[in-house]
Amino acid sequence: MVRLACSPMNVSPYTGRKFVAGPHLLSRPALEELMAALIDAISVKRKTLFEFESTPFYCLEAEVNTPTARGGQTLVRLKMRNLLTNAVFEKSFKASDKFKEPDLESVPASYLYSDNDGSHFLDQESYETLTLTEEMVGNALDFLIEGAIIQLRKYNGNPIGLQLPIFVELNVTSTEPGVRGDSSGGTVTKPARLETGQEIRVPLFIKEGEKVKVSTESREFAGRA
């Protein structure tokens, strides 16, 4: 058996969660498997998923700072998103620091409805109804209609959020006829309300009842569907 020396339990200022439960005993095969699954901080790149203080994170940016003085440590500064709270912050790590790979999975789920308890989805694999809080859903409801299939993200088997596609296709429920619009951006546009209630700007040729493609990142018109 191999003993792992651990610090007393602490509360993270970044996640608000307790971590490190005390010393553990691991068999050598289990220890080797654990070490194989670890990610070096210097290997973390943009879009890397990793676990820090018992919380899953997504790397938005990574910057390696190499010391000029002899004996200095190489540091890695990460801009990271907490996948449980969507909070974004930056933190520096030693190049040799290690992270676990988070137990994350994405499953297809259909959007059912939202009420005071949250937003409800049907897992297309287990046919279980899963409820996500407003914090977990974020602004995804601006792009979802009843029956829409979306990727639902789970951490340790529990739902934690949604993974929106790059584009969604939605119907225009109301817009004015193609008359003079706003040309400040160089292209003449007009406001249009989508079936989810979201309002975007569209070219003058778009008519009420048409289906359009919308970017979930920029929340802008991306073409006819």
Side-chain angles (χ1 to χ4, degrees), residues 36 51 61 105 122 126 135 148 159 162 167 174 179 181 184 200 203 205:
E51 188 174 287
E61 295 177 12
E105 63 172 329
L122 182 65
S126 66
E135 184 181 61
L162 301 171
F167 300 104
S174 65
V179 294
S184 58
I200 63 171
F205 58 79

Side-chain angles (χ1 to χ4, degrees), residues 74-142:
T74 297
L75 298 177
V76 180
R77 187 160 187 82
L78 302 179
K79 184 175 182 181
M80 45 208 271
R81 182 189 301 279
N82 184 322
L83 293 181
L84 300 184
T85 65
N86 283 322
V88 175
F89 62 90
E90 295 186 8
K91 181 173 173 59
S92 293
F93 298 91
K94 297 177 184 177
S96 58
D97 284 346
K98 298 183 183 298
F99 305 113
K100 286 175 58 180
E101 291 186 9
D103 180 14
L104 289 169
E105 63 172 329
S106 293
V107 297
S110 58
Y111 173 57
L112 299 176
Y113 62 94
S114 296
D115 58 19
N116 292 334
D117 295 326
S119 296
H120 308 279
F121 297 82
L122 182 65
D123 187 321
Q124 295 295 294
E125 295 180 351
S126 66
Y127 295 103
E128 175 186 7
T129 299
L130 304 172
T131 301
L132 276 66
T133 64
E134 183 178 348
E135 184 181 61
M136 294 176 180
V137 173
N139 67 357
L141 294 184
D142 290 341

